Amino acid sequence: MNIKQAKEYIKDSVKLYLKKDDEGEYRIPVVRQRPIFLLGAPGIGKTAVMEQIAQELGIAIVSYSMTHHTRQSALGLPFIAHKEFEGLSYDVSEYTMSEIIASIYDVMSESGIKEGIFFLDEINCVSETLAPSMLQFLQYKVFGRHRVPDGWVIVTAGNPPEYNKSVREFDIVTLDRMKILEVEAEYQVWKEYAKDRNIHTAILNYLDLKKEDFYQVETTVRGKNYITARGWEDLSAMMLLYEEEGMSVEESLIEQYIRNPRVVKEFGAYYDLYRKYQKDYRVADILAGTAPASAGERARKADFDERLSLMGMLIDYVQHDIRENIEQYEYINNILNHMKAIKNSVGADKDVIGSNKDSVELSKGNLESDRGRLKDRIADILENQISGREKGMESLMKAGSLSDREKRKQKKVIRFLTDCEKALKQEEIDDADAALKFLKARYDDEAALYKSETQDIKMKLHYLFTFVEDTFGTGNEMLILLTECTVNKDSAKFIGMYGCDEYKRHNEELMVSERGDTIMEEIARLEL
C-alpha cells in the first residue's frame, strides 16, 4: 500500500482503539490493542504521517527512535529497595521508571492531553540487550515494570533488512502481536503532500516528467545510490532559501541531498531550464492579463516538457496565493469570533448598568464612571483572549499536535489581539461604545484586505483559464489545470466559496466528453 492508504488505516485504528463504552471502558481491551508496525523504505514520510494523524485527531504524540536507546534508558536503572515479607527484611532489586515512559507522563502533564500516539521509529534496529524486552513491550505495553498509560496507542516503524544493516528480523511470535502495514513509495501520493508543503515547483515539474526518479535505492560498483522523498523535501527547502538570498543553485548543492549522479545532472539541467522559462514567459504578466501575444505563440509551439513546465509554474503561482487566502479566511473568522465575544460580554454588562439605573438614581458622573469601567472591561477581555490563545497553542505544541499551518494562524490571531489591546490603551477613548467602534474598525481593515486579495485571485484564475484556453484549447493542458484545481483542497475550497465560471464551464464540457467516450466504448463492445 502507499503511505496515504497506510495513514487512513492507522488513523481509523487509533480512533477505534480509543473508542469507549458507556462505562468509560475501551471497547477493545488494552491487551488486545495490537501495536501497529509500519514497514517501509527510509525517507517515505512515516514520521510525518504520524504527526499529521495526531494533529487531525487532536491528540498528543510522543516519538522516539529506538536506535538511540540502551537497555538502561528504555527499562530504567536498577536500585536496591528494602522490603518486608512475612516479618523478615530483604533487599530487592527494582528499576527506576523508563525514560521513554516518563516522557509520556511529562507530555500529559504539560499539555493536559491524556490520549495520544506513542511512536517508536526503527523498532527493528534495537540493541541486542534490549531485543528480549521488546516482545513483552509489544504484547503488554510494558517497559520493565512500568506500563504505557491507557489511552496511548503504540505505533512502530522500521525499514526492511535490505535498507539497513542494523535491522533485526522479528520472529513469528513477535510479528503475531502486531498489525503490519507494508508501505511503498508512490509519487502521486507524495505530490499531494508536497503541494501542501510548498515543495519547489521545479522539483514537482521534474518529477512529473520523470516519476522514476522520485525514489530509488540501488547498489553500484561505487557504492549505494539513493533518492528519497525526504531528500527532495529537504532540497526544496534549501533551494527556496537560496533563491530568496539570490544565491545560485548548483549541482554541488543538489548532490548533498540527491545521491544519484545521473539524477543530479539531469535535475540540475532541468532547473536551469526552469529558471529560463520563468524569465521568458513572465508568469506574473500572464496572470495579470498583460502577457504579450508572443508568450502564447511560443507556448503553442513548445514541446511537451516545456508546456508542462509552464503549466506547473502558472498553477503553482495561483495555488500559492489561494493557500494564503484560505489561511487568511480562517484567520478572519477567528478574530470575528473574538470581536463577537467582546461585544456580547459588554452588552451583558451594559444591561446590568441599565437595570441599576432604573432602580437607583445615578449622577452623570457615575454613568461616565460606569462607561469607563466598561472600556477597561474590554481591555481585560482582550487580555484574557490573548492568554487563552497562548495557553492553548502552548498546550498543543507540547503535545506535538499543532500543524505548521495552525501555528501560523494562531500566531496571527494573537498578534492581532495584542495590537488591539495596545492600541486601545493608547487611544483617548472615554467609553465602551467608542472602544467597540474602534475594534470594529480594526477588524474591518483586516476584512477589507482579505476581500481585496480574494478579488485579485479571482482575476488571476480568470486570466489563467483564458490563457490556457486561448493557447491550448481544451487539450491536455486544460485537463491538467482542471485536475489540479479539483484535487488541491485549498483550490477546491476557494472555487467552491467564490466560484469560477471558466472552471465550471470547462469541467462540464469534459464531463460531457467523458460520457460520450463511454457511450462509444459501449457501442464498440456491442459491435453495433
Side-chain angles (χ1 to χ4, degrees), residues 162-342:
E162 60 265 30
Y163 295 107
N164 193 330
K165 292 180 180 179
S166 303
V167 165
R168 306 170 59 86
E169 292 200 51
F170 288 141
D171 54 33
I172 299 299
V173 176
T174 305
L175 293 173
D176 192 42
R177 285 167 169 79
M178 297 189 289
K179 292 176 63 170
I180 302 171
L181 302 178
E182 295 189 31
V183 185
E184 295 180 352
E186 188 174 314
Y187 171 62
Q188 285 303 130
V189 171
W190 181 79
K191 184 179 177 181
E192 294 179 31
Y193 162 84
K195 284 278 189 179
D196 193 51
R197 297 293 295 234
N198 199 31
I199 299 298
H200 200 294
T201 311
I203 291 176
L204 296 181
N205 285 355
Y206 173 80
L207 293 176
D208 280 337
L209 294 167
K210 297 193 174 185
K211 295 180 178 60
E212 67 276 9
D213 291 345
F214 167 58
Y215 196 100
Q216 289 183 23
V217 177
E218 59 184 10
T219 302
T220 69
V221 292
R222 295 186 177 181
K224 288 190 179 296
N225 289 341
Y226 56 90
I227 312 167
T228 68
R230 182 192 297 128
W232 286 118
E233 183 170 1
D234 292 346
L235 173 61
S236 168
M238 189 58 71
M239 286 172 60
L240 291 169
L241 287 176
Y242 262 59
E243 292 176 357
E244 189 177 304
E245 295 295 323
M247 300 165 66
S248 178
V249 175
E250 307 288 350
E251 287 186 10
S252 56
L253 172 68
I254 299 170
E255 67 183 4
Q256 295 170 32
Y257 300 90
I258 306 301
R259 303 299 296 164
N260 183 301
R262 175 189 63 80
V263 176
V264 169
K265 286 188 176 298
E266 292 185 4
F267 176 67
Y270 176 80
Y271 176 75
D272 291 340
L273 200 57
Y274 171 86
R275 295 287 285 179
K276 184 176 185 301
Y277 293 156
Q278 273 189 322
K279 182 179 179 181
D280 291 351
Y281 278 106
R282 293 158 53 185
V283 169
D285 289 342
I286 291 175
L287 297 175
T290 58
S294 58
E297 292 171 5
R298 172 176 173 173
R300 202 174 296 114
K301 297 174 182 177
D303 59 23
F304 175 75
D305 290 4
E306 185 171 336
R307 295 200 307 271
L308 190 63
S309 297
L310 174 60
M311 289 302 301
M313 286 187 286
L314 289 168
I315 292 169
D316 182 70
Y317 196 110
V318 174
Q319 287 188 338
H320 177 271
D321 287 352
I322 288 176
R323 181 167 55 250
E324 291 189 345
N325 182 265
I326 294 298
E327 288 187 29
Q328 184 77 355
Y329 168 78
E330 295 167 354
Y331 155 73
I332 289 292
N333 277 332
N334 270 254
I335 62 175
L336 176 60
N337 290 334
H338 281 291
M339 296 298 102
K340 286 180 177 178
I342 293 172

